[in-house]
Amino acid sequence: MTAYRFAVNGAPVEVDVPGMRRLLDVLREDLALNGTKEGCGEGECGACTVLLDGSPVDSCLVPVCQVDGSAVLTVEGLAVAPTRPGQADGLDELQAAFLVTGGAQCGICTPGMLMAGRAYLDGGGGPDHDAIREAIAGNLCRCTGYTKIVEAIALAAVTNDGDAVR
Amino acid sequence: MPVEPPITSPRTLADAYAQLAEGPVTPIAGGTDLMVSLTGELGEPPERMLDLWHLDELRGIALDGDSLVLGALTTYTDLRRSSLCREHVPALVEAAATIGAAQIQNRGTIGGNAVNASPAGDTLPVLLALDATLVCGSVRGERDVPATAFWPGYRRTALAPDELLVRIRFPLVAGRASRFRKVGTRRAQSISKVVMALAYCAGTDGGLWTDVRLALGSVAPTPIRASATEAVLEGRPPIPAIAELAAETLAAELHPIDDVRSTAEYRRVVSARVLHRLIREAGGW
Ligand SMILES: Cc1cc2nc3c(=O)[nH]c(=O)nc-3n(C[C@H](O)[C@H](O)[C@H](O)COP(=O)(O)OP(=O)(O)OC[C@H]3O[C@@H](n4cnc5c(N)ncnc54)[C@H](O)[C@@H]3O)c2cc1C
Ligand code: FES
Ligand code: FES
């Protein structure tokens, strides 16, 4: 085994695990960050989406050896991420928007939706519904019918205080 | 639980070649095909694995003489963002945009698509239509394999067990147009029922097409060129009579199969219609 070093939600971590362990399992089992969910385990549903060096990836498809030296952002990092201070109850504006529009029902898809949506907003994405739908095309939701999720991301895009590109 | 075979992460290509020369190891690039197969339920897992992700020698998009060269680790996101690719290999960029969704495009590589050798791999017909050359490397050095010889059989490639796909070279052809079409069940995350790439040079002499290449995926055990149909189009203009003839020829030339994603009949009819439409769009009628 080799020790792999990377950052999770801004904090450095070191794990001594098999290099082929899925990032998803390292997060949930080894680092006890259970916010990231497993839906399908094969890249279809996006429930396990995290940001790897700012880009959305399915953490069920990424072996931890490939994360060495990178920065991972999980749903746990949204509310407290150092680049986003001072929202009400510490929520990221996208999380707050999900509460406003009712973007979560059972909640299994929500962490992945939040991360895919966050990446979209960080990339300068606006409130256009078609563009939002493309950005979350890799995230399945069996409850909401997507409309409220799309509305949440669009709402966050306009409440982003004009600093859409961070 | 997914299986976790031992893996090393070499930092140089030379080190990777040396490990491949020592015995059977399975390379992993973006993992979007491989990780799915490691559930522990799909046959014997690899004994040892080799992580290619940190090999910067396998990255990069650059012009080299009269070719555009893409490192094997070029992701679909890299392709979509590259102005060189948009200018010189637009059909490849169109293909990249249809693969999976953002999460898959951020990790999946063009090299992984080629070596995975699925007959439904979306970039494979594009490589055939654009006369790509696949550069394979090992401790013995590098060798060029034309796309037409890279997929000799169902899910097989021309790579030796100790070889890596290093890069893919596309000849730059002045005046070449290229088009891509994929037919699947939904826009994102779907495997092709039919995938088609068409390339041609439209001369100034009345719009006659030359150097026509028509390649398809999901209609045979390997990606294929439709040579009878190419012959119909070669030296002819994109007019209704030629489009009809080409579509008929294609329907007769293909021998697809029924499978979980579609039927042979559907694939044959749709392939012919898609080609007809591409010709009509090019002809502007
Ligand atoms: C949800 C989902 C949707 C998908 N949608 C599509 C789609 O629409 N169209 C499509 O074509 N594919 C699709 N795929 C399949 C996959 O994403 C692509 O085939 C991708 O290009 C594979 O690249 P990779 O880098 O992830 O390959 P990996 O999984 O890392 O490797 C694939 C194979 O290639 C070998 N390999 C990889 N790189 C090299 C190299 N440089 N030299 C030698 N061997 C190598 C590996 O050993 C392995 O056998 C999808 C997959 C998922 C999970
Ligand atoms: S659990 Fe990773 S995509 Fe479904
Ligand atoms: S809220 Fe239940 S899957 Fe999306």
Side-chain angles (χ1 to χ4, degrees):
Chain A
M1 281 196 263
T2 322
Y4 299 102
R5 291 183 196 85
F6 49 98
V8 177
N9 301 330
V13 299
E14 179 174 328
V15 290
D16 201 354
V17 300
M20 277 301 288
R21 184 158 297 172
R22 306 180 304 175
L23 175 58
L24 174 65
D25 297 326
V26 172
L27 291 170
R28 291 181 55 88
E29 311 291 334
D30 297 297
L31 299 174
L33 291 169
N34 295 330
T36 305
K37 305 300 180 211
E38 174 162 13
C40 65
E42 36 188 72
E44 295 285 342
C45 76
C48 65
T49 302
V50 300
L51 304 193
L52 182 53
D53 296 326
S55 299
V57 302
D58 294 320
S59 62
C60 70
L61 296 184
V62 180
V64 69
C65 61
Q66 297 189 341
V67 179
D68 198 38
S70 289
V72 178
L73 185 71
T74 71
V75 69
E76 287 92 346
L78 283 183
V80 295
T83 51
R84 274 182 276 287
Q87 261 83 37
D89 356 333
L91 288 185
D92 160 280
E93 60 269 278
L94 182 56
Q95 292 172 309
F98 265 68
L99 291 183
V100 172
T101 67
Q105 287 183 26
C106 81
I108 282 287
C109 72
T110 312
M113 288 290 184
L114 287 169
M115 301 319 288
R118 183 75 259 159
Y120 172 77
L121 297 172
D122 286 350
D128 176 58
H129 282 205
D130 287 343
I132 292 170
R133 282 180 185 273
E134 185 186 346
I136 60 167
N139 296 76
L140 301 184
C141 173
R142 55 189 182 169
C143 303
T144 65
Y146 300 98
T147 303
K148 292 175 177 195
I149 293 172
V150 174
E151 285 170 1
I153 299 172
L155 177 62
V158 296
T159 53
N160 233 350
D161 300 328
D163 63 341
V165 188
R166 271 184 274 222
Chain B
M1 265 307 272
V3 286
E4 297 170 345
I7 186 163
T8 57
S9 298
R11 303 290 156 149
T12 67
L13 193 52
D15 188 8
Y17 286 160
Q19 294 193 39
L20 281 154
E22 272 169 25
V25 290
T26 302
I28 175 168
T32 59
D33 278 313
L34 241 166
M35 294 299 282
V36 178
S37 70
L38 292 183
T39 55
E41 295 154 17
L42 298 172
E44 278 300 296
E47 236 166 74
R48 290 195 301 137
M49 300 192 59
L50 184 73
D51 173 20
L52 305 181
W53 196 255
H54 298 282
L55 295 175
D56 287 337
E57 292 150 282
L58 301 185
R59 290 185 205 282
I61 299 174
L63 290 178
D64 176 25
D66 53 4
S67 300
L68 177 69
V69 183
L70 306 188
L73 287 182
T74 301
T75 65
Y76 299 115
T77 299
D78 296 336
L79 269 171
R80 294 186 70 183
R81 289 189 181 149
S82 160
S83 52
L84 279 176
C85 290
R86 282 199 297 270
E87 181 181 349
H88 296 292
V89 289
L92 192 59
V93 176
E94 282 182 62
T98 72
I99 291 178
Q103 291 91 332
I104 299 297
Q105 291 174 16
N106 284 332
R107 300 298 289 180
T109 66
I110 186 168
N113 204 224
V115 179
N116 192 52
S118 161
D122 283 320
T123 69
L124 280 46
V126 185
L127 268 49
L128 282 170
L130 298 181
D131 290 330
T133 297
L134 295 98
V135 182
C136 312
S138 69
V139 283
R140 297 182 301 286
E142 291 187 353
R143 68 189 177 104
D144 287 354
V145 179
T148 46
F150 194 75
W151 300 283
Y154 178 65
R155 303 215 68 152
R156 290 201 296 118
T157 72
L159 285 177
D162 67 342
E163 274 183 319
L164 292 179
L165 176 61
V166 180
R167 65 189 88 87
I168 302 179
R169 239 183 9 237
F170 297 89
L172 302 179
V173 179
R176 178 179 61 193
S178 66
R179 304 294 309 280
F180 172 85
R181 271 303 153 74
K182 163 173 171 173
V183 180
T185 39
R186 68 185 272 250
R187 203 147 5 121
Q189 293 299 58
S190 71
I191 301 175
S192 295
K193 297 168 189 251
V194 166
V195 50
M196 180 182 293
L198 174 69
Y200 55 89
C201 296
T204 42
D205 44 354
L208 299 188
W209 284 9
T210 55
D211 297 315
V212 179
R213 304 280 185 273
L214 177 63
L216 293 98
S218 284
V219 295
T222 67
I224 55 162
R225 290 258 303 265
S227 41
T229 310
E230 288 177 355
V232 165
L233 291 165
E234 185 70 30
R236 304 255 171 66
I239 57 173
I242 297 299
E244 286 298 331
L245 184 59
E248 273 170 35
T249 308
L250 185 61
E253 183 176 15
L254 297 180
H255 304 286
I257 59 164
D258 293 342
D259 67 13
V260 288
R261 290 194 303 281
S262 189
T263 63
E265 185 57 18
Y266 178 88
R267 289 185 156 109
R268 203 185 343 259
V269 171
V270 162
S271 300
R273 293 312 300 168
V274 169
L275 176 64
H276 191 277
R277 185 173 303 172
L278 287 180
I279 299 170
R280 174 159 60 77
E281 286 171 5
W285 38 277

